[in-house]
Amino acid sequence: MPISNKTSVRDSQPLVTIIVPCYNHEEWLARSIPSVIEQDYENKRIVIIDDCSTDGSYEKAIEIKDQYKDACSIDVLRMECNKGPSATRNKGIRYFWDDTLIFGMLDADDTYLPGKINKSVEKIAENPSVVGIVYGDVILENFKKNTKIYEPREPYNRRRLMEKCTMSSQNFITKHAFSVCGLYDEEMRTAEDWDLQLRITKSFVGIHIPEPLSTYSITGSNASDIVDMEVWGKNWDIIRERHHGKD
């Protein structure tokens, strides 16, 4: 996939597209999407991609699009059949590839905290040819236990990333990094973000912002709850075979 940027990420307010994959998260969209709209960054666009939900997620996404049509550009796409988070994110990325310089990831049941977009873009703009991915700390919101826990993430270190997934999944990735390293592996329904992080940081640097910039929700319908451990094990094996010893 060639890169054809006519503007630089050093330019004021490069266009940022926020990718929001959604599968049966109807009740959470009214929380996640406003967290993006309210960001202090004007040149942004949101694309919600429904992965053939069996609840009212798609209809809720359309409702939110209409509700906020004067506040932010929101597009709603729908998969032809359920294909998992990798294919769903890739559909949104490809749909807006031509005019987007930076992509932000946000799961439909999570949120951005104030300053997330602006601070991430500023880090990329410091060295756009070197920085491929930016991530921050997170607030874990456990809705099953009604608790909130601040979870700091480790500063970027390639060796540590090889050992475990030290980055948050709600990260910002440059178009250039995607063009060099490829998109999400559509064969993987879990650990796909870790695999992508390892591929990107083989050619680019990851930047950690040491403050909470997003929330991660524990709802009982997370991948760790609904995906069979055999699938997790298979994907961990793929990552070990693909990346072990390939620094």
Side-chain angles (χ1 to χ4, degrees):
M1 186 178 294
I3 184 169
S4 57
N5 295 348
K6 296 182 179 180
T7 58
S8 166
V9 291
R10 292 185 183 277
D11 292 348
S12 176
Q13 293 263 301
L15 176 61
V16 174
T17 297
I18 308 301
I19 304 294
V20 185
C22 179
Y23 179 67
N24 287 350
H25 283 325
E26 174 187 4
E27 64 180 303
W28 302 103
L29 283 172
R31 176 174 171 268
S32 61
I33 302 306
S35 79
V36 179
I37 295 171
E38 293 164 6
Q39 293 282 308
D40 60 343
Y41 192 93
E42 292 185 7
N43 197 15
K44 61 182 180 288
R45 171 175 56 207
I46 302 168
V47 54
I48 306 168
I49 312 98
D50 180 67
D51 195 17
C52 284
S53 296
T54 57
D55 64 359
S57 290
Y58 180 73
E59 291 75 17
K60 185 65 176 180
I62 295 296
E63 176 186 321
I64 289 173
K65 173 183 177 178
D66 292 340
Q67 179 182 354
Y68 291 103
K69 63 183 178 182
D70 296 327
C72 184
S73 174
I74 302 176
D75 287 86
V76 180
L77 308 179
R78 196 174 199 182
M79 301 295 286
E80 295 79 12
C81 60
N82 179 265
K83 292 188 175 181
S86 292
T88 305
R89 291 191 189 102
N90 287 349
K91 183 179 181 73
I93 293 167
R94 292 189 181 106
Y95 195 84
F96 287 114
W97 179 262
D98 288 345
D99 59 353
T100 301
L101 291 178
I102 301 171
F103 292 92
M105 304 300 146
L106 176 65
D107 290 342
D109 56 344
D110 298 332
T111 66
Y112 282 175
L113 295 176
K116 167 77 170 177
I117 299 179
N118 200 44
K119 291 175 181 179
S120 300
V121 171
E122 285 178 351
K123 286 297 181 183
I124 292 171
E126 289 175 5
N127 202 334
S129 63
V130 173
V131 178
I133 187 168
V134 174
Y135 64 104
D137 298 339
V138 299
I139 301 292
L140 294 180
E141 293 192 86
N142 191 325
F143 288 91
K144 295 188 292 184
K145 298 181 179 180
N146 196 29
T147 60
K148 290 185 180 182
I149 301 174
Y150 171 40
E151 183 180 87
R153 294 289 174 146
E154 297 181 22
Y156 167 67
N157 180 290
R158 171 71 179 175
R159 179 187 61 80
R160 285 289 295 136
L161 184 62
M162 290 285 291
E163 294 173 352
K164 63 180 292 188
C165 186
T166 55
M167 295 184 181
S168 60
S169 58
Q170 317 296 31
N171 42 45
F172 275 56
I173 301 169
T174 67
K175 175 180 181 176
H176 184 38
F178 274 131
S179 70
V180 171
C181 305
L183 306 185
Y184 288 90
D185 184 340
E186 298 190 7
E187 297 300 314
M188 301 180 74
R189 283 181 174 253
T190 62
E192 74 288 339
D193 51 345
W194 187 19
D195 171 69
L196 179 65
Q197 292 160 14
L198 285 166
R199 283 189 279 120
I200 288 176
T201 55
K202 186 177 180 181
S203 302
F204 298 89
V205 170
I207 295 292
H208 170 242
I209 300 176
E211 61 180 284
L213 294 178
S214 58
T215 69
Y216 177 80
S217 302
I218 300 174
T219 63
S221 58
N222 306 94
S224 57
D225 295 306
I226 63 176
V227 178
D228 192 279
M229 285 306 299
E230 184 177 344
V231 176
W232 279 97
K234 177 182 177 182
N235 287 340
W236 286 331
D237 287 342
I238 290 172
I239 289 173
R240 281 191 288 268
E241 292 172 7
R242 183 177 289 171
H243 301 288
H244 183 68
K246 296 184 178 181
D247 242 348

